[in-house]
Amino acid sequence: MISKEELEQILEKINVSAPAPADDTLRQYYFIKKSRSYVKELEEKLGRKPTCCVTTFGCQMNARDSEKLCGILEEAGYEITDSEEADFVIYNTCTVRDNANQRVYGRLGFLNSMKKKNPDKKIALCGCMMQENSVIEKIKKSYRFVDLIFGTHNIFKFPELLCAMFENDRMVIDIWQDTDKIVEDLPVERKYFYKSGINIMFGCNNFCSYCIVPYVRGRERSRNPRDIIREIENLVADGVVEIMLLGQNVNSYGKNLEEPMSFAQLLQEVEKIEGLKRIRFMTSHPKDLSDDLIEVMKNSKKICRHLHLPLQAGSSRILKQMNRRYTKEQYLELAEKIKREIPDISLTTDIIVGFPGETMEDIEETIDVIRRVKFDNAFTFIYSKRTGTPAAAMENQVPEEVVKEGFDRVLKTVQDTAREQVSRLQGQVLEALVEEQNEQDASLMTGRLSNNTIVHFPGDVSLIGKLVPVRLEECHGFYYTGSIANEN
Ligand code: SAH
Ligand code: SF4
Ligand code: F3S
């Protein structure tokens, strides 16, 4: 991350008539400056500032990447909007399940019809889906109106690719198979002024047998702790009170650093940052969750009382097939230990139904874990076959009716246990970070408790970004309604 003022000072000294520098960061600054002249040209042609819209699919990691794209687009001279009517539309895609891909294809047709009306409109595709060869082939064949395609490993090159898009009439495609590069200090435009995600690591080495992420995000690599701390300090100076440390498996943070450091140690360093109020992180793999981490969470004033601990399945037999490397008993033991040490914690989870070979008995095991752990929430997904993963080649794919029945039963159990679990806070006064105005009712504000539960209460927009005490009056399943409590 770099401030607008610092960047401006550097850009002033860059000569775009000279060849582009070789240093990764400087090179992109050079192309930011260069892209400004292209955007300016377009502005003169249109008689107004060109607009740009970045649509994000998928996880928090993609959301953070989109903020990086927006930071560059803003520096290039675009006005960022939420409407896909914009002069430049970027889809930052996800491919974790097939329905994410289908949504992208569906919406591309719609973008094409808009492009026919606005010939200056540009369309770019990036993100995880673009790391798959079959996707690129399909776009080259059937979606030829796309102007720019890049992947997850070269997103830092976006200024350079933006210039290439302006300089070429044909589709520009740049996909890397993998990278060990981590490029720091590019501009970022945050969606929220009071909270932010921060990448602490990229990629994944776990190869759960159903999952495509390791193939599209590459090998695990951790950012240097000094860069992470510096970024958070800058964010806090800029008004951020809550941060979320992001990685596919934060519990294995630091293993590949020159001076290895554990995730628990990193958290202790982050805790020291003055002015920072709340720390969250995503995601924790149960197999790597250490006693040190539990201890650090327990003693922390800033780490939120929430742990997202993906279960995926409750049957040890299925877990083995999934290559999760823990058993049902180990998961239950871990969840019990966490709840014993940190009684006010909320546990949430991810569950997959319909993994190859999964029977109703296996589903019963999953239901048993849900009942015993009592998650505050669980995201339940129907297994989606991802080409190239080991599970896709397994022969015993589960028939649709069986999946449907299992899914409904799991969902019902989750709803019942979550309602009971969430309602335990009824009547308490807890601190909420006010996030936004309620979409349905403008007299209500929406806040988030430390344990990630949402509460709606009367208030006004001046509260956004503030921590306020809220009385939790009525539980409605996964969320509460309440009112601001008098502090005296
Ligand atoms: N790194 C995280 C998960 C990232 S993907 C972790 O290990 O916890 C988010 C969720 O998508 C996963 O937890 C899993 O429940 C789900 N998921 C991944 N691959 C899937 C597939 N092929 N079909 C259905 N759900 C899948
Ligand atoms: Fe996928 Fe497993 Fe890595 Fe999570 S830990 S991203 S589920 S391979
Ligand atoms: Fe999707 Fe990529 Fe995230 S596949 S879930 S956007 S890492």
Side-chain angles (χ1 to χ4, degrees):
M1 204 178 84
I2 181 169
S3 74
K4 285 194 178 2
E5 297 73 32
E6 283 168 312
L7 180 66
E8 222 42 60
Q9 280 171 8
I10 299 171
L11 291 189
E12 227 164 77
K13 294 193 202 108
I14 292 177
N15 172 12
V16 284
S17 320
D23 172 83
D24 281 320
T25 310
L26 275 179
R27 185 177 176 89
Q28 297 315 314
Y29 292 162
Y30 169 96
F31 283 107
I32 290 177
K33 184 153 181 183
K34 201 165 184 191
S35 68
R36 284 183 177 176
S37 55
Y38 294 124
V39 179
K40 192 88 204 149
E41 224 172 90
L42 182 61
E43 180 171 345
E44 277 157 20
K45 185 173 171 196
L46 298 171
R48 57 169 172 80
K49 207 171 176 185
T51 53
C52 179
C53 169
V54 181
T55 303
T56 312
F57 299 82
C59 66
Q60 311 270 0
M61 238 86 48
N62 258 21
R64 184 62 177 162
D65 283 349
S66 290
E67 293 186 341
K68 295 177 185 171
L69 297 175
C70 285
I72 288 159
L73 288 160
E74 188 156 82
E75 288 301 335
Y78 278 102
E79 184 171 320
I80 313 286
T81 82
D82 284 338
S83 159
E84 293 186 2
E85 296 274 349
D87 302 302
F88 186 18
V89 177
I90 305 176
Y91 279 179
N92 189 7
T93 63
C94 169
T95 186
V96 77
R97 287 171 290 275
D98 188 53
N99 53 11
N101 298 44
Q102 294 314 321
R103 272 180 37 229
V104 168
Y105 290 128
R107 288 171 67 158
L108 270 177
F110 167 65
L111 283 189
N112 191 24
S113 60
M114 290 199 275
K115 190 168 178 165
K116 284 186 182 140
K117 287 183 220 140
N118 174 5
D120 289 313
K121 192 180 181 84
K122 300 268 186 205
I123 298 168
L125 299 175
C126 65
C128 296
M129 207 176 139
M130 300 305 127
Q131 291 296 139
E132 290 175 277
N133 288 336
S134 58
V135 170
I136 300 295
E137 288 313 312
K138 182 164 173 169
I139 294 168
K140 278 206 277 197
K141 205 162 137 237
S142 315
Y143 300 86
R144 299 177 55 159
F145 54 87
V146 172
D147 300 284
L148 169 66
I149 302 176
F150 56 101
T152 56
H153 303 303
N154 56 350
I155 186 166
F156 73 87
K157 258 184 82 179
F158 180 54
E160 186 167 354
L161 295 165
L162 188 61
C163 288
M165 179 182 84
F166 279 113
E167 289 158 8
N168 282 283
D169 286 334
R170 299 185 52 196
M171 190 190 278
V172 175
I173 306 180
D174 191 11
I175 308 287
W176 294 8
Q177 283 322 310
D178 206 344
T179 188
D180 51 12
K181 273 188 192 188
I182 297 180
V183 181
E184 299 284 346
D185 289 330
L186 292 174
V188 183
E189 181 62 28
R190 292 198 313 277
K191 193 167 171 194
Y192 306 97
F193 70 87
Y194 55 87
K195 68 169 180 179
S196 180
I198 287 130
N199 301 104
I200 63 166
M201 57 208 297
F202 301 94
C204 180
N205 283 355
N206 286 309
F207 291 96
C208 302
S209 64
Y210 51 81
C211 184
I212 200 162
V213 172
Y215 305 89
V216 295
R217 286 273 173 177
R219 293 295 62 71
E220 185 180 293
R221 49 212 186 275
S222 297
R223 267 178 88 192
N224 192 311
R226 282 181 296 277
D227 290 328
I228 297 170
I229 300 292
R230 191 164 54 98
E231 180 172 353
I232 302 172
E233 284 170 347
N234 288 338
L235 287 167
V236 171
D238 203 29
V240 166
V241 292
E242 178 179 299
I243 53 146
M244 184 181 272
L245 305 175
L246 300 171
Q248 293 298 351
N249 176 13
V250 292
N251 296 331
S252 73
Y253 171 80
K255 287 188 183 151
N256 59 353
L257 288 172
E258 260 172 45
E259 296 164 46
M261 179 185 212
S262 72
F263 181 54
Q265 286 168 325
L266 176 71
L267 279 173
Q268 284 175 302
E269 291 306 309
V270 175
E271 174 102 19
K272 290 181 197 153
I273 297 175
E274 231 167 279
L276 179 66
K277 302 274 171 58
R278 282 181 166 185
I279 305 168
R280 300 186 183 277
F281 52 85
M282 277 267 250
T283 298
S284 283
H285 195 305
K287 79 176 163 63
D288 295 314
L289 198 143
S290 68
D291 287 348
D292 284 349
L293 175 65
I294 301 175
E295 193 62 25
V296 168
M297 283 185 86
K298 180 178 167 179
N299 297 324
S300 167
K301 300 233 166 1
K302 297 185 181 174
I303 302 174
C304 288
R305 288 333 202 202
H306 173 222
L307 191 64
H308 187 65
L309 195 61
L311 166 68
Q312 313 301 5
S315 145
S316 296
R317 185 180 72 85
I318 293 294
L319 284 168
K320 189 157 193 335
Q321 296 286 312
M322 286 179 161
N323 193 30
R324 289 291 288 180
R325 287 171 277 175
Y326 52 83
T327 61
K328 175 186 182 184
E329 289 68 33
Q330 283 167 330
Y331 187 96
L332 283 170
E333 225 172 86
L334 179 63
E336 238 170 69
K337 181 160 55 177
I338 296 166
K339 287 194 161 192
R340 191 169 59 232
E341 294 296 323
I342 315 168
D344 56 347
I345 202 153
S346 286
L347 292 179
T348 56
T349 201
D350 290 344
I351 292 165
I352 299 175
V353 176
F355 182 84
E358 195 173 47
T359 63
M360 267 311 160
E361 275 128 59
D362 295 316
I363 295 285
E364 283 308 323
E365 303 271 0
T366 301
I367 289 176
D368 185 44
V369 177
I370 301 170
R371 290 218 174 99
R372 291 217 227 163
V373 176
K374 299 193 180 76
F375 297 106
D376 276 61
N377 203 349
F379 300 97
T380 310
F381 306 107
I382 289 180
Y383 167 72
S384 173
K385 190 169 166 176
R386 308 315 288 135
T387 311
T389 61
M394 293 179 186
E395 275 164 10
N396 41 3
Q397 305 283 324
V398 183
E400 217 172 294
E401 327 75 77
V402 181
V403 176
K404 172 123 200 5
E405 192 194 334
F407 184 83
D408 291 345
R409 286 177 65 181
V410 167
L411 201 64
K412 175 87 180 51
T413 317
V414 168
Q415 281 164 348
D416 293 347
T417 52
R419 173 176 279 275
E420 189 192 323
Q421 189 61 12
V422 174
S423 69
R424 76 194 183 282
L425 303 175
Q426 183 100 21
Q428 288 191 29
V429 174
L430 290 171
E431 200 168 62
L433 175 61
V434 187
E435 297 202 331
E436 57 199 5
Q437 197 166 34
N438 189 294
E439 272 175 29
Q440 273 101 43
D441 180 348
S443 71
L444 295 180
M445 300 306 293
T446 298
R448 194 181 292 273
L449 305 180
S450 166
N451 78 359
N452 214 37
T453 301
I454 293 290
V455 54
H456 304 289
F457 54 93
D460 63 75
V461 289
S462 68
L463 294 172
I464 294 177
K466 298 205 168 94
L467 286 154
V468 295
V470 177
R471 185 176 308 280
L472 306 173
E473 283 157 359
E474 198 177 339
C475 178
H476 304 260
F478 295 108
Y479 69 94
Y480 271 95
T481 47
S483 59
I484 294 186
N486 273 335
E487 275 170 272
N488 45 24

